[in-house]
């Protein structure tokens, strides 16, 4: 006999009829917590089980690559080749899952566009072509209805209706907008800009506005701007909306930033790795010495990716003391906290792997092979039928 608690959970997972009773025909299998990993060079997204850390398979998100290249006019193709020369063949920048776990939204960096893909049928539901020539980080609204994507070469972010793939709003940003992050309570939207990364370090003054732009997510109107001397890289925000921890261009470490007063409170300089100190700043990937910042579920720990130093670090709040430096391998490039808040996932772009680190012990508990040049990682809940349709290969 089915236990009462299991039955209650099942009823919560299905739609309810007007009579207030659930139909057995409507019952659906529960969604599965997964980590999505965007493999930038491969043009695929890997799915990792958040319970077992097994690679469940992958999805090719550029099956239409040749078609898109053929459709480009001379200006678009020239811009594509310029961006490609600077960044390589980066086809996946960011991705999110719909709340029903069946549709993937992907910003395809070099193409440049955002597409919605039915994970079961592999059908492209819509495609939104950006105004500029490079699609960067995205955010998805908490209710799953809107996608915000940085349109880096035109200094703005565009807001897309997730159902129709049409633009519903846009807002101005600093130069070369990068990350988009909702505050933990969903009342604010943050966009960070990094400036023109193709210029050398000595020309920081010419890289444009490097800023954190605060936006009202109900109206998409800018409510505040914080200016920085360096580009704002990955960041995390505390639940009270008072503090940001952020990596900055060229900084081998991170800052603690007071969002009320609008000033840096502390700068934490991390040690260089064996080769990090010898790398010229103009050779840092996209100007970033460190690129990857996450916070544990209890907000007690930070997980810092030391990109040029080939390590990750677990740092304790509020003292910002380092628990442990963890050697990982080539190009740690993003950090993401697991859905249960216990683990930090660090993508290793040069190793084609994801390292799983325990916040509690600061130890690596798993290393998961993925595709070519993994970068962005995002949590999601996937439908069983969507996972069943993935390619079995590890990429």
């Amino acid at each position: 006999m089915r236990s009462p608690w299991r039955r209650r959970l099942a009823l919560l997972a299905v739609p309810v009829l007007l009579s207030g009773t659930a139909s057995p025909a409507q019952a659906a299998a529960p969604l599965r917590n997964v980590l999505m990993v965007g493999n930038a060079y491969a043009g695929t997204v890997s799915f990792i089980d958040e319970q077992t850390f097994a690679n469940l398979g992958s999805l090719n998100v550029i099956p239409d690559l040749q078609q898109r290249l053929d459709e480009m006019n001379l200006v678009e193709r020239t811009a594509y080749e310029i961006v490609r020369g600077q960044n390589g063949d980066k086809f996946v920048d960011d991705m999110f899952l719909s709340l029903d776990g069946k549709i993937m939204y992907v910003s395809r960096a070099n193409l440049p566009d955002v597409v919605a893909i039915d994970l079961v049928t592999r059908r492209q539901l819509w495609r939104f072509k950006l105004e500029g020539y490079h699609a960067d980080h995205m955010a998805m609204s908490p209710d799953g209805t809107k996608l915000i994507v940085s349109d880096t070469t035109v200094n703005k972010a565009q807001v897309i209706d997730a159902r129709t793939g049409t633009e519903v709003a846009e807002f101005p940003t600093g130069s070369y907008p990068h990350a988009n992050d909702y505050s933990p309570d969903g009342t604010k939207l943050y966009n960070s800009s990094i400036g023109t990364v193709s210029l050398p370090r000595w020309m920081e003054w010419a890289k444009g506005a490097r800023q954190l732009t605060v936006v009202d997510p109900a109206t998409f109107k800018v409510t505040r701007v914080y200016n920085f001397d360096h580009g704002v890289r990955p960041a995390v925000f505390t639940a009270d909306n008072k503090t940001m921890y952020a990596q900055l261009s060229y900084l081998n470490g991170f800052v603690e930033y007071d969002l009320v007063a609008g000033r840096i409170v502390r700068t934490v300089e991390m040690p260089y790795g064996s080769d990090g100190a010898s790398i010229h700043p103009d050779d840092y990937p996209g100007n970033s010495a460190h690129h990857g910042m996450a916070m544990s579920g209890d907000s007690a720990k930070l997980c810092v990716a030391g990109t040029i130093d080939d390590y990750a670090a677990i740092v304790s709040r509020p003292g910002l003391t380092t628990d442990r430096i963890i050697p990982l391998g080539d190009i740690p490039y993003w950090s993401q906290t697991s859905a249960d808040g216990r683990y930090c996932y660090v993508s290793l772009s040069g190793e084609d792997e994801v390292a799983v680190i325990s916040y509690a012990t600061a130890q690596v508990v798993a290393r998961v092979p993925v595709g070519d040049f993994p970068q962005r990682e995002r949590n999601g809940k996937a439908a069983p039928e969507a996972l069943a349709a993935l390619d079995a290969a590890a990429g």
Side-chain angles (χ1 to χ4, degrees), residues 254-274:
F254 62 95
V255 298
E256 181 182 64
Y257 193 85
D258 185 328
L259 291 166
V260 178
R263 64 184 180 89
I264 294 174
V265 177
R266 286 185 282 183
T267 298
V268 177
E269 295 188 3
M270 304 295 290
Y272 283 99
S274 58

Side-chain angles (χ1 to χ4, degrees), residues 29 35 95 101 105 191 194 230 363-364 373:
L35 177 77
M95 63 266 134
Y105 308 107
N191 177 277
I194 58 178
H230 306 284
Q363 299 286 338
V364 175
F373 211 83

Side-chain angles (χ1 to χ4, degrees), residues 32 34 45 191 198 202 233 312 321 334 383:
R32 192 168 175 179
V34 295
V45 174
N191 177 277
S198 58
W202 71 269
R233 315 307 308 211
T321 54
W334 191 256

Side-chain angles (χ1 to χ4, degrees), residues 8 18 47 50 138 163 241 368:
R8 285 197 295 271
L18 292 178
F47 287 69
E50 290 219 63
M138 291 199 300
R163 183 179 62 85
N241 290 324
V368 187

Side-chain angles (χ1 to χ4, degrees), residues 14 23 82 91 221 239 250 315 337 366:
V14 300
S23 165
I82 292 172
F91 296 115
K221 300 296 184 184
Y250 304 113
V315 177
T337 295

Side-chain angles (χ1 to χ4, degrees), residues 7 28 30 34 50 68 98 109 142 197 199 228-229 281 284 286 301 338 367 373 388 392:
R7 183 172 183 275
V34 295
E50 290 219 63
R68 297 308 172 203
S98 61
V197 296
L199 296 178
F228 288 79
D229 293 331
Y284 291 176
K301 309 277 187 180
S338 60
R367 293 178 73 108
F373 211 83

Side-chain angles (χ1 to χ4, degrees), residues 86-106:
Q86 293 174 343
N87 300 320
D89 279 319
K90 291 189 177 179
F91 296 115
V92 182
D93 193 281
D94 215 338
M95 63 266 134
F96 285 90
L97 276 178
S98 61
L99 298 189
D100 67 2
K102 297 179 181 179
I103 299 171
M104 171 170 280
Y105 308 107
V106 186

